[in-house]
Amino acid sequence: MSSLSNPNIFTVSRLNAEVRLLLENEMGIVWLLGEISNFSAPVSGHWYLTLKDSRAQVKCAMFRGNNRQVTFEPQNGHQVLVKARLSLYEPRGDYQLIIESMQPEGDGMLQQQFEQLKLKLASEGLFAQSSKLPLPEHPKCVGIITSKTGAALFDILNVLKRRDPSLEVIIYPTVVQGEEAAIQIAQTIGCANSRNECDVLILGRGGGSLEDLWCFNHEIVARTIAASQIPIISAVGHEIDVTISDFVADMRAATPSAAAELVSRDNSHKLQTFNTIESRLKRAFSHYINVHKQMTTTLAHRLQRQHPNNQLQRQSQQLDELSTRLQRSITLYIKAQRQDISQHYYKLQLHTPSRHISGQRSKLERLEQKLIDSMERHLLKARHQLCLAGEKLDTVSPLATLKRGYSITQTTSGQVITRTKDVKSGDTIVTRLGDGDIHSTVA
């Protein structure tokens, strides 16, 4: 059976695609705390980095559309909290995170804890309107849970004194900031419930930073508020400040002064009733919006995972990587070519014709000198041998015999005459003497 026709046999590309979809669909959005390393920002505008802790690390990418929202400049060594979706870079099979938002560690961690607790309590129904107690229409006693030295207490007392001086007030002092504040606030709410002296409780303090108000975001405070048998109005911070206690309380007031106005009566009690209904309506509408916002966010994430932009982002990341690899390859190729040229140039210098000709010329001059010397020696030897041979020849030469008075008679053709019968009358003969020749005619 062919592997291509068998659905149980994966190709590498198919396997990576399936794993990527599995990671993106099953894991969804995650929050991650880590230290930035290997940060890079190529000309494409995307960011690539590694998030690590003391024992592990994970590769991350943050694309241009998202990193424009980051309000600080990330650097290696920074501790950050990121919101990201799990994915897989298919060409290399690398598991990675696609970062959607990034915050410095401090603010980000608190905000993350806030969101996690908010989702947890909302899923348990602690924010549901059906679980909230109605505020008494005509309270006779109001309990105030706050710092005995804070401005919030004096704001509440001033409003109550101005609007309803006959209203009884009981103060339950507690710290509203610091590590022990959450436990003390929970204990104070429990004390007020056990004493059961009041018709309504105001839990509040003045404004501050997220860290200052953090005790009102603790789970123990939220659950104590939800368990209270006395209606509680949450009046923490300024109007823009939102805490977990605001969601769990039976009513939220924008400020401590606004909470005092909610529980006090004056000639505008109809307006107060209207405000109460309006606040409940806003709260219900806010809850409805939050629920549908979460649904919309979930659907948006599902849609985003199928969005063509994700493919473009992956291709853009791949393009950045290929561009980096191409640039590195070109650099290495140019370096190798330069080394190769240098080696060939060195070899060429070693085998250059000028050096070879110069060497051959020197060799030729040496051979020429050797030839001259050899010829001179050969000529000298030949002259010496010639002299010796001349001397030997002279000793046996007929000319020497002729010089001693002998002669040689020859015909005109050079034949030596040794007998008289070799000539006849009228022949011309030549007689060679030691100092010359005599021509004569035979009679």
Side-chain angles (χ1 to χ4, degrees), residues 32-39 47 49-54 58 60 70-82 99 102-106 109:
L32 188 68
L33 177 67
E35 177 185 339
I36 294 177
S37 65
N38 300 323
F39 180 84
W47 292 350
L49 59 131
T50 300
L51 284 180
K52 65 177 185 178
D53 59 18
S54 60
V58 61
C60 306
V70 178
T71 58
F72 66 101
E73 183 177 355
Q75 294 182 3
N76 291 331
H78 279 182
Q79 289 284 340
V80 293
L81 178 72
V82 300
I99 299 176
M102 180 184 295
Q103 304 174 57
E105 177 185 4
M109 283 295 295

Side-chain angles (χ1 to χ4, degrees), residues 66-237:
N66 291 324
N67 62 35
R68 287 177 177 173
Q69 309 300 320
V70 178
T71 58
F72 66 101
E73 183 177 355
Q75 294 182 3
N76 291 331
H78 279 182
Q79 289 284 340
V80 293
L81 178 72
V82 300
K83 176 184 177 184
R85 55 186 172 85
L86 232 55
S87 185
L88 184 86
Y89 185 50
E90 295 180 32
R92 286 200 309 265
D94 283 349
Y95 148 85
Q96 66 177 4
L97 290 178
I98 306 299
I99 299 176
E100 295 184 356
S101 67
M102 180 184 295
Q103 304 174 57
E105 177 185 4
D107 293 343
M109 283 295 295
L110 292 179
Q111 188 65 36
Q112 171 65 5
Q113 293 175 22
F114 177 91
E115 294 295 336
Q116 289 178 343
L117 182 58
K118 179 181 173 183
L119 290 174
K120 176 182 178 181
L121 298 181
S123 65
E124 294 179 15
L126 268 68
F127 299 169
Q129 193 65 34
S130 59
S131 65
K132 299 184 183 301
L133 300 175
L135 297 183
E137 292 186 6
H138 305 288
K140 298 179 180 180
C141 182
V142 176
I144 304 174
I145 301 175
T146 188
S147 171
K148 62 182 179 181
T149 59
L153 175 60
F154 297 97
D155 292 340
I156 295 172
L157 293 176
N158 287 335
V159 172
L160 294 179
K161 182 178 180 180
R162 172 173 54 81
R163 290 171 58 84
D164 192 356
S166 64
L167 185 61
E168 183 180 358
V169 176
I170 297 178
I171 300 172
Y172 299 93
T174 181
V175 294
V176 291
Q177 182 175 335
E179 296 181 357
E180 303 297 327
I183 295 177
Q184 288 198 30
I185 290 172
Q187 291 174 345
T188 304
I189 294 174
C191 177
N193 274 267
S194 63
R195 290 167 58 173
N196 197 24
E197 302 165 314
C198 305
D199 301 313
V200 64
L201 297 174
I202 297 176
L203 173 64
R205 64 151 285 164
S209 65
L210 182 62
E211 292 84 352
D212 295 336
L213 304 179
W214 192 247
C215 57
F216 296 93
N217 292 321
H218 274 261
E219 185 173 356
I220 187 174
V221 173
R223 295 195 181 278
T224 305
I225 293 174
S228 175
Q229 298 302 309
I230 302 174
I232 296 179
I233 300 174
S234 177
V236 179

